[in-house]
Amino acid sequence: PQYESTTAVIPGRSKEILRDCPCNLRDKNGRIWCWFFPGLISKKQQRQLTMAVLLLSDKSKKGLQIGPDSDSNWRVNQKLYRPAHLCSAKLGAVCYSPCWYEQGLHQPPDATAGPSLTLVNDPEALKFLRETQEVAALLGAVLSLVHPALFAQGMELMKTLYRKPDDLRNPDLVLDTLAIWASPFTALSIISNRSTPLHRDTLGAMNCFDAVMSWGEYENGRFKIPAAGMTFRYDTGTTIYLDTRTFRHGASAVVGERFCFVLFFRPSML
């Protein structure tokens, strides 16, 4: 396909543009800060992902989590999720990382990095990562094309962790996870049947790309980036690479069942 390049935006644009063709967005200096790839993930790969999410829903007690509608954390606030009786998979979100610094309020200043607690507490997590290897590897491979330096930095980090596991918390689990971790990104999130309000990922790495991919049986998917004055057609299998810390973005509710697969970097690890 031919990829269009679009210079973003004019603040206060009165009419929003709906994009449905592959493209990238550039600033006035020509630096690309967003790539839009509709239909990047095949139907076969989408079925593999759906089976992995369904297995996680059935077997894991620590996987996908959701909170009450009064939860101040919008990521698990029940109001943003589709009604459970309309869904085949468990509602909720979960994040995995082979190694990072925990974000809790009571971490000591000399805390060491280690696997996410979602891996420590859930024996089904490694099985899920193994079942989603192919898509994680594909999204990492695309990163090597759209941002080679970031890809190289992520891969060098993984090699460093593998060479020096004894410097980390729970080194055996770090090595077990790295053996099946199939991308240069430092963390992975799965979101089941949630709309996402406009936000910035303030814990993300500045000037880095995250990969955001959606799939499922749904209609009317839309992904908004207000700074560009654009809305993207967020059909099943679509992937967007975006500097999510700098630019507000969000995905509106859909008609049907939708899942989201997000790969991202934590700056403290890079």
Side-chain angles (χ1 to χ4, degrees), residues 151-171:
F151 172 83
Q153 188 176 3
M155 293 304 296
E156 186 58 35
L157 167 62
M158 297 304 164
K159 294 175 185 177
T160 300
L161 296 176
Y162 194 83
R163 288 194 298 261
K164 298 182 178 181
D166 291 338
D167 295 340
L168 308 170
R169 286 183 290 105
N170 206 332

Side-chain angles (χ1 to χ4, degrees), residues 126-256:
L126 291 183
K127 183 183 296 184
F128 175 81
L129 295 179
R130 190 176 294 110
E131 293 294 325
T132 57
Q133 269 184 327
E134 183 176 331
V135 170
L138 174 59
L139 297 180
V142 173
L143 180 69
S144 75
L145 301 175
V146 301
H147 200 326
L150 183 57
F151 172 83
Q153 188 176 3
M155 293 304 296
E156 186 58 35
L157 167 62
M158 297 304 164
K159 294 175 185 177
T160 300
L161 296 176
Y162 194 83
R163 288 194 298 261
K164 298 182 178 181
D166 291 338
D167 295 340
L168 308 170
R169 286 183 290 105
N170 206 332
D172 290 341
L173 182 56
V174 171
L175 290 178
D176 287 345
T177 307
L178 288 175
I180 57 174
W181 192 260
S183 86
F185 295 91
T186 62
L188 177 159
S189 286
I190 291 291
I191 304 162
S192 173
N193 288 291
R194 189 194 73 197
S195 59
T196 301
L198 291 171
H199 70 287
R200 294 183 181 90
D201 293 306
T202 56
L203 294 179
M206 190 171 290
N207 299 320
C208 288
F209 282 151
D210 295 342
V212 185
M213 192 275 289
S214 176
W215 85 97
E217 299 294 331
Y218 65 87
E219 298 176 351
N220 299 331
R222 298 290 186 269
F223 189 98
K224 295 187 177 183
I225 305 178
M230 293 181 184
T231 297
F232 296 90
R233 193 180 298 278
Y234 202 31
D235 291 338
T236 183
T238 293
T239 305
I240 296 174
Y241 288 77
L242 176 67
D243 177 354
T244 62
R245 177 166 176 162
T246 304
F247 296 98
R248 285 202 309 153
H249 57 284
S252 56
V254 298
V255 178

